[in-house]
Amino acid sequence: MSKSKTGGYKGPYGYQKRKDGEGRSCVRYKCSLMNTVLDVLHQRPGWVEVKEDGEWDFNWCDVGWLRENFDHSYMEEHVRICHFRNHYELTRKNLMVKNLKRYRKTVEREAGRLEAVKCDFFPLTFVLPSEYHLFVEDFKRSPGSTWIMKPVARSQGKGIFLFRKLKDIMEWKKDCTRSDEQRDEAQVESYVVQSYIENPYLIHGRKFDLRVYILVTSYLPLKAWLYRDGFARFSNTRFSLRTIDDQYVHLTNVAVQKTAPVYNPEKGCKWQMQQLRRYLTAKHGTYVVEELFKDIDNIFIRSLQSVQKVIINDKHCFELYGYDILLDQDLKPWLIEVNASPSLTASNQDDYEMKYSLIEDTLHIVDMEGRLTGKEKRVGGFDLMWNDGPVFRENAGLETLGSPFQTANTHLGGVNDRKKQLRQLLKPFPGQKKV
Amino acid sequence: MMNEGSELSVTIAQIVQRLKGTHLHSQLEKQAKECLHRPEIRLESIKEDVRKFLRATGWERKLQNAVYRELHILPPSGHPEAPLEHTKEPLAYMRKAQASWEKRILKSLNSMCTELGVPLARKRPVLEQKELTSKWNEMGADEPDLSKFRPVYAPKDFLEVLINLKNPNHDHSDGLTARSHWGLIPISLSVRDVPQLREAYPELSLSCSQLGIDDHAHVPPDLFESEHIRIGKKVVDEQDSAAAQQYSRQGSPTGLRAQLWALILNITNDPEDVAHYEQLKAAVIHHDLLVDNLIYKDVKLTASNDDYYFVFEDVLYQVLLCFSRDTAVLEHFSYNSATPPKSYIQGKTGEEEFAVVYPPNVPLLPCQMGIVCRLGVIPFHGFSMYVAPLCFLYNEPCKLYSVFREMYVRYFFRLHSISSSPSGIVSLCLQFERLLQIHLPQLFFHLQEIMAQPLRIAFKWMVRAFSGYLSTDQLLLLWDRILGYDSLELVAVLAAAVFAFRAENLMEVTSLASAEAVLADLSTLKVMPLLQIFLFANVI
């Protein structure tokens, strides 16, 4: 395919954009997942799946493939892949904690204490075994409080347990050295211990956490999009601290995992983010909820800023993160985890439609077809949240010009009329006639 | 004929009677007494000064709200010689029909009781009482075996009863005519047509802004929404019931709705309300009713299965179990067409006797083991859906309970009892059919031809006031207007509007099943535009 060498507007990734009306009309893709993603790719006009060793323009790969192949692949300018090389700086709990702590220190040094407080959205965490002594100091300072032990690299629910007494970790340590599980390369730093949030926000006795989707297309400069849809995942059991008393101990006790007051994504049901937002607004009023969602925005931006300089920026890469947020009774949001491969398998029809739209909009933003100008603040259900600086909504009134009280361009839990917006925004696919 | 003056004084006397001895009364007295110490109260103008004081401190407003509430639930005044029953429900054949329907329900319940060998009421052993107390907040965690219980009736059974109503004054001598068999409801009641509805609901007109339409994402909030919210806050601050009701006609903002509805319904959460709720809770702990199992089953089948209401399962039990023991609900029957009797329930041994009054209503019937009782609000399939949307607004069981009870007493009970009230289900069914017949005659005819009578599909929506069929935010917008206009009429209008909206697809179906399929999913509908278009944008 010939490249246009004259003029030509440079698209958001810096590669030569085709002239208007022309776009990459055939995109060869690889996909290692067998779920919703594959459906979206199959149905995208002009996109063709390639076989094992074929050349590809787009790869929706899993992190395993990335680890083995990224360093050995040469990618042409236009090629796109769905992960950053060292995404684990954000998504592995021990590294995330390390980066957040370092970032906080920097903020405090440069902008003072008040600003640093805004970084206090993750519970007190220590990496084991390297920070064991620091942990013990803090543990002794707050007797009776509950702590949660989490394996660094495993997906949620597995290997997690709660405890209140130090002797429980001693026993666990002994168990660990005997078990076969330690074939992980990073076995030395394989756990984090975190202060357990004992007062989660409950809706009629049930605990829930929030799943939010963030798309990052560049770290330097930082460009991040926030998806309007998301959901609240409820646990099946009523929350009670009693269950910790009964069952807080041994890793080998399988029953612990089933009834633990730790969220298990398999069980329970979901509310759409819009429903949750409305519920909270009905209960606490519009102002309080708007402040809450501002605080949540703050978590996304700062967590990304904390790894901005660590992540190897690469114009070929983009990444769709699944953030897990927990609210406490004071309506303070806490960051629990960031997932580099959020589940895109649908649990029911509504879920399927939501994830389908999410992936479709992700591909619109990646824009292999060259249909965007790069100046968009909204594409489908995604709103541009950060573009080397905060992004604000279009302000209708003159009073807001230059005012410090501009509203952020985020609509989490807001109305998602993406189809309408896309119709107005996008030109038809290259090769397609205008409808 | 009584003249207006004496009618008014009778009404005033009635209201005074009802408010005497309430917590509000004693509070007012207390306030009046205490204010006498204040410097601005002078002996020579004591009456005016005390009044002024009560007005300034908001007590007069509270009294106004209480009076306003009483006016809502007062039965229509009738001839002084007429028995209470007749003023409740003036049409004799309606009274009869309701009485026999209730008899049928009770009979069905009794036979279930006999079949299953479960007593209608039973005192709980102490251990069981303790257990229930400890898991009061998580009753949904249990999975009792409810397979043998079936709902006593479903909405479609009730529809059959309505279809078979007969007005003995109606002359059937001209036999079958197109007119007499146009719709399912065979009786005539006065229902409003579109021109009359337009006059009755001016706030829904195209030229009037409201929530559900003018708060759409693309409409700048300066045009209506911001101002409406500002006014709403003022209404809440003023604590004015009547103003809140008027305001609600244009919709309640999400952040203010809970307070506004509580204001409209005059839910004050007085100590007497709290005490009442605690008493009911104690009654639940104390004895177990057969009806409880029906409640469990209904919640498990409907609310627990719903994508959004499942979270509220526990609190639904707390509310409904108490509701079934609430004798104060009885007083709403003083304007329902049914007459409440008294009842006793004996224990198995015959020695324990305790007066458990099932919400009243039904004539006495002997049943197994010599227990005589009468039953009141027997939950039908879907009953819990009256409560579920309210859980979205109110968290504390006591307040939620009070709100639900007031809504039941003002509106919901009319949806499942036979009466001639304009908000009663019979009128709603008739109005629905008439609206379709007049404005969509082709559709009506077509559906009738293919044996898919529209009412058969719409009935279940109307009986539940659309709860569980619309998405929650839309449902709440509809209920805003029900409260605002103090009438369920819009439920019938909305049902007709839904048919109008899907008329094109319905004209193409050829069976009841396919008609049902076209109307199976209402969760994407926007209620206010539908109502507005149907009432104000159609050519008459």
Side-chain angles (χ1 to χ4, degrees):
Chain A
M1 278 176 230
S2 60
K3 280 193 187 156
S4 163
K5 294 236 188 300
T6 55
Y9 166 71
K10 273 196 195 285
Y13 305 102
Y15 78 99
Q16 292 283 24
K17 253 174 117 49
R18 311 272 150 186
K19 282 197 286 212
D20 238 38
E22 290 178 55
R24 186 160 288 278
S25 53
C26 175
V27 176
R28 300 161 297 181
Y29 68 87
K30 262 170 77 103
C31 178
S32 28
L33 303 178
M34 300 297 286
N35 54 21
T36 322
V37 183
L38 201 55
D39 290 346
V40 179
L41 292 167
H42 272 331
Q43 288 159 28
R44 202 163 174 87
W47 285 48
V48 176
E49 192 169 8
V50 295
K51 302 304 170 208
E52 269 302 316
D53 294 326
E55 269 189 32
W56 45 270
D57 306 305
F58 181 93
N59 191 351
W60 196 292
C61 63
D62 57 59
V63 292
W65 184 97
L66 191 84
R67 193 170 47 228
E68 282 163 32
N69 296 289
F70 190 93
D71 298 329
H72 319 298
S73 319
Y74 169 71
M75 290 187 279
E76 284 182 55
E77 272 209 56
H78 70 276
V79 164
R80 294 291 173 267
I81 191 165
C82 70
H83 286 293
F84 283 89
R85 177 66 187 89
N86 59 342
H87 58 82
Y88 41 78
E89 291 286 344
L90 182 62
T91 59
R92 270 174 80 128
K93 298 173 188 59
N94 58 338
L95 296 174
M96 179 184 88
V97 163
K98 179 189 97 206
N99 288 314
L100 281 172
K101 279 186 182 174
R102 193 201 51 235
Y103 169 74
R104 190 194 191 284
K105 281 208 187 87
T106 312
V107 168
E108 188 164 19
R109 198 173 52 235
E110 293 177 3
R113 187 127 290 167
L114 279 179
E115 193 68 10
V117 162
K118 293 186 193 163
C119 305
D120 290 336
F121 49 77
F122 62 102
L124 196 57
T125 312
F126 301 96
V127 176
L128 297 184
S130 62
E131 296 182 320
Y132 183 74
H133 49 284
L134 286 171
F135 158 65
V136 171
E137 264 180 48
D138 228 281
F139 180 89
K140 292 199 174 130
R141 249 180 273 156
S142 37
S145 59
T146 316
W147 296 80
I148 179 169
M149 189 78 92
K150 297 187 192 178
V152 142
R154 287 205 255 150
S155 55
Q156 195 169 44
K158 306 197 196 102
I160 295 184
F161 66 96
L162 301 163
F163 65 93
R164 285 202 183 122
K165 302 201 186 91
L166 271 181
K167 73 170 173 72
D168 301 314
I169 326 185
M170 309 296 190
E171 307 227 3
W172 161 78
K173 268 170 96 178
K174 275 190 269 161
D175 284 344
C176 255
T177 50
R178 273 187 261 126
S179 83
D180 282 339
E181 292 160 351
Q182 308 294 318
R183 266 182 288 131
D184 196 356
E185 311 151 338
Q187 68 175 231
V188 181
E189 306 261 290
S190 52
Y191 274 79
V192 292
V193 63
Q194 197 175 63
S195 174
Y196 184 68
I197 295 168
E198 292 185 34
N199 63 337
Y201 190 92
L202 302 175
I203 294 183
H204 287 286
R206 295 205 202 210
K207 182 174 168 175
F208 63 94
D209 72 351
L210 305 179
R211 163 51 60 91
V212 186
Y213 296 101
I214 304 274
L215 172 64
V216 175
T217 51
S218 160
Y219 273 97
L220 288 169
L222 181 59
K223 191 165 186 182
W225 302 75
L226 171 61
Y227 204 67
R228 296 186 177 199
D229 292 341
F231 34 87
R233 300 174 297 195
F234 286 87
S235 76
N236 209 25
T237 51
R238 284 96 191 128
F239 178 79
S240 160
L241 287 175
R242 272 183 306 176
T243 38
I244 306 178
D245 285 332
D246 301 336
Q247 327 204 15
Y248 60 88
V249 168
H250 304 286
L251 194 59
T252 50
N253 185 354
V254 174
V256 173
Q257 305 316 321
K258 270 195 170 170
T259 59
V262 175
Y263 174 71
N264 181 343
E266 307 300 326
K267 293 180 138 205
C269 296
K270 302 182 191 175
W271 271 10
Q272 281 177 7
M273 192 61 75
Q274 286 77 6
Q275 193 78 351
L276 178 75
R277 189 161 185 159
R278 260 183 250 124
Y279 175 88
L280 291 174
T281 306
K283 285 222 64 214
H284 302 280
T286 320
Y287 177 74
V288 168
V289 173
E290 278 177 358
E291 290 300 300
L292 166 65
F293 277 77
K294 273 193 205 151
D295 290 342
I296 294 178
D297 285 349
N298 175 63
I299 291 182
F300 304 140
I301 293 167
R302 287 187 189 271
S303 58
L304 292 173
Q305 284 176 330
S306 72
V307 295
Q308 200 179 0
K309 303 201 175 101
V310 182
I311 295 226
I312 301 163
N313 197 44
D314 187 332
K315 60 178 184 283
H316 302 106
C317 304
F318 68 92
E319 205 152 25
L320 180 65
Y321 297 109
Y323 270 70
D324 292 339
I325 306 277
L326 183 69
L327 304 179
D328 71 15
Q329 267 169 22
D330 303 317
L331 279 183
K332 179 185 157 75
W334 296 88
L335 176 61
I336 299 301
E337 192 177 45
V338 184
N339 292 284
S341 312
S343 163
L344 294 169
T345 316
S347 50
N348 60 35
Q349 186 59 29
D350 282 340
D351 197 38
Y352 180 83
E353 275 163 27
M354 185 256 176
K355 287 179 174 156
Y356 192 100
S357 305
L358 173 70
I359 299 165
E360 206 177 39
D361 289 341
T362 304
L363 298 181
H364 289 324
I365 289 180
V366 171
D367 199 27
M368 302 293 296
E369 301 93 349
R371 299 186 289 167
L372 299 181
T373 63
K375 295 215 174 23
E376 292 84 3
K377 289 200 328 193
R378 180 187 170 188
V379 176
F382 274 111
D383 294 296
L384 184 59
M385 174 174 67
W386 190 270
N387 190 9
D388 200 19
V391 180
F392 298 112
R393 294 184 195 176
E394 239 89 75
N395 291 306
L398 275 172
E399 323 73 79
T400 47
L401 264 181
S403 133
F405 298 115
Q406 288 174 300
T407 338
N409 185 40
T410 52
H411 296 81
L412 182 58
V415 171
N416 186 4
D417 53 345
R418 57 179 288 275
K419 287 212 172 100
K420 188 168 172 191
Q421 199 266 352
L422 288 171
R423 262 201 303 274
Q424 292 165 347
L425 176 73
L426 292 176
K427 300 173 228 119
F429 284 97
Q432 267 189 333
K433 288 228 165 63
K434 224 186 174 99
V435 177
Chain B
M1 254 338 226
M2 282 169 74
N3 64 32
E4 269 194 38
S6 49
E7 249 185 58
L8 188 58
S9 37
V10 167
T11 307
I12 293 176
Q14 270 176 319
I15 294 179
V16 166
Q17 187 58 37
R18 287 175 60 81
L19 290 178
K20 252 201 177 100
T22 58
H23 180 76
L24 179 64
H25 184 193
S26 55
Q27 284 293 101
L28 279 168
E29 275 187 353
K30 184 162 169 249
Q31 289 292 318
K33 278 196 191 121
E34 284 176 5
C35 83
L36 294 175
H37 299 299
R38 300 176 72 92
E40 65 262 27
I41 312 290
R42 295 153 299 171
L43 193 56
E44 53 280 12
S45 52
I46 191 167
K47 213 172 173 185
E48 281 83 63
D49 289 347
V50 172
R51 271 215 189 109
K52 236 193 243 167
F53 172 77
L54 289 176
R55 192 171 305 142
T57 48
W59 283 99
E60 188 187 57
R61 180 52 55 73
K62 288 193 181 140
L63 180 60
Q64 259 177 353
N65 290 346
V67 170
Y68 195 61
R69 187 257 172 186
E70 293 303 321
L71 284 172
H72 269 114
I73 64 166
L74 215 53
S77 57
H79 196 275
E81 301 298 311
L84 191 55
E85 233 181 43
H86 291 214
T87 48
K88 289 184 242 157
E89 172 49 67
L91 298 180
Y93 74 90
M94 290 279 192
R95 288 198 300 269
K96 265 212 191 101
Q98 172 69 2
S100 77
W101 168 237
E102 286 164 1
K103 237 193 203 145
R104 244 179 83 180
I105 297 178
L106 180 57
K107 213 166 164 197
S108 167
L109 191 66
N110 274 327
S111 56
M112 187 191 301
C113 155
T114 316
E115 235 177 80
L116 303 176
V118 177
L120 278 170
R122 166 188 76 95
K123 185 158 192 266
R124 283 191 222 269
V126 174
L127 196 60
E128 197 184 312
Q129 288 185 28
K130 279 212 178 93
E131 219 186 284
L132 185 56
T133 313
S134 71
K135 59 173 186 62
W136 179 250
N137 289 323
E138 24 178 81
M139 284 187 271
D142 279 347
E143 301 273 347
D145 177 20
L146 300 166
S147 52
K148 51 189 183 168
F149 295 100
R150 358 162 260 285
V152 179
Y153 69 97
K156 64 180 190 318
D157 303 316
F158 187 48
L159 178 59
E160 289 305 317
V161 172
L162 299 185
I163 291 173
N164 289 305
L165 283 174
K166 282 193 188 35
N167 180 354
N169 292 334
H170 198 183
D171 179 11
H172 294 278
S173 57
D174 40 351
L176 285 172
T177 62
R179 192 136 179 234
S180 62
H181 284 75
W182 206 184
L184 286 177
I185 302 294
I187 54 182
S188 293
L189 291 171
S190 175
V191 291
R192 297 201 266 212
D193 58 10
V194 170
Q196 290 169 319
L197 289 168
R198 282 182 181 173
E199 281 186 39
Y201 298 93
E203 291 85 355
L204 300 185
S205 78
L206 292 163
S207 52
C208 190
S209 303
Q210 52 199 291
L211 295 182
I213 296 176
D214 299 284
D215 54 336
H216 193 262
H218 295 295
V219 179
D222 301 336
L223 282 182
F224 167 69
E225 199 182 352
S226 313
E227 181 62 13
H228 190 65
I229 294 176
R230 192 188 65 83
I231 296 176
K233 287 201 181 116
K234 233 181 140 202
V235 169
V236 170
D237 286 337
E238 291 287 306
Q239 285 289 292
D240 187 337
S241 270
Q245 184 162 32
Q246 178 65 32
Y247 175 82
S248 185
R249 293 180 180 191
Q250 289 172 282
S252 299
T254 309
L256 295 173
R257 184 177 275 127
Q259 294 160 289
L260 285 165
W261 283 20
L263 199 47
I264 297 173
L265 300 168
N266 200 34
I267 306 300
T268 47
N269 232 30
D270 285 335
E272 57 189 359
D273 296 325
V274 177
H276 182 65
Y277 179 73
E278 289 301 317
Q279 246 176 23
L280 293 173
K281 181 177 164 182
V284 177
I285 306 280
H286 227 250
H287 41 260
D288 175 31
L289 303 179
L290 171 65
V291 169
D292 291 350
N293 293 300
L294 301 176
I295 291 172
Y296 278 122
K297 183 139 192 173
D298 187 52
V299 173
K300 289 272 182 224
L301 284 179
T302 54
S304 300
N305 270 336
D306 187 287
D307 282 340
Y308 288 111
Y309 298 135
F310 71 89
V311 175
F312 305 132
E313 192 182 342
D314 295 328
V315 81
L316 285 172
Y317 294 126
Q318 291 178 6
V319 167
L320 290 167
L321 291 177
C322 288
F323 182 70
S324 61
R325 291 157 175 78
D326 192 342
T327 57
V329 171
L330 300 188
E331 76 182 20
H332 86 256
F333 285 95
S334 70
Y335 55 89
N336 192 357
S337 48
T339 9
K342 297 190 200 337
S343 83
Y344 282 93
I345 290 181
Q346 290 178 330
K348 276 194 203 176
T349 62
E351 282 164 14
E352 318 141 55
E353 220 183 70
F354 42 95
V356 169
V357 189
Y358 272 77
N361 216 352
V362 183
L364 299 178
L365 265 191
C367 49
Q368 195 202 25
M369 293 185 273
I371 295 175
V372 284
C373 69
R374 46 185 182 125
L375 300 159
V377 186
I378 305 209
F380 54 87
H381 178 59
F383 192 88
S384 56
M385 295 306 280
Y386 287 142
V387 192
L390 301 173
C391 297
F392 222 62
L393 302 171
Y394 304 100
N395 215 22
E396 314 118 47
C398 180
K399 189 146 194 207
L400 173 62
Y401 183 79
S402 304
V403 171
F404 165 63
R405 188 170 62 140
E406 188 66 15
M407 286 207 67
Y408 182 83
V409 158
R410 286 199 200 186
Y411 309 113
F412 297 146
F413 85 90
R414 298 191 193 279
L415 294 172
H416 61 89
S417 47
I418 303 174
S419 79
S420 59
S421 158
S423 268
I425 189 70
V426 183
S427 296
L428 296 183
C429 288
L430 193 57
Q431 187 165 37
F432 164 73
E433 288 193 314
R434 289 267 185 275
L435 287 171
L436 278 191
Q437 287 159 0
I438 294 171
H439 300 288
L440 294 151
Q442 245 190 331
L443 175 64
F444 198 96
F445 185 72
H446 169 71
L447 290 173
Q448 205 180 10
E449 286 276 280
I450 60 169
M451 313 293 274
Q453 278 284 4
L455 185 56
R456 287 205 188 277
I457 303 174
F459 188 71
K460 56 186 181 293
W461 306 335
M462 295 196 284
V463 163
R464 298 209 322 214
F466 282 90
S467 174
Y469 295 106
L470 296 173
S471 70
T472 318
D473 62 315
Q474 294 300 311
L475 182 76
L476 293 172
L477 288 167
L478 175 67
W479 287 15
D480 279 338
R481 275 66 177 197
I482 290 177
L483 285 169
Y485 290 99
D486 193 32
S487 164
L488 288 161
E489 209 175 9
L490 286 178
V491 168
V493 179
L494 180 62
V498 171
F499 272 73
F501 186 61
R502 301 228 170 130
E504 238 180 87
N505 290 0
L506 286 169
M507 283 304 287
E508 299 189 5
V509 300
T510 51
S511 70
L512 173 60
S514 11
E516 298 259 20
V518 169
L519 295 164
D521 183 9
L522 307 185
S523 61
T524 51
L525 294 183
K526 299 275 178 270
V527 161
M528 298 319 298
L530 281 179
L531 284 171
Q532 204 178 54
I533 291 173
F534 189 83
L535 286 177
F536 293 96
N538 275 329
V539 176
I540 301 301

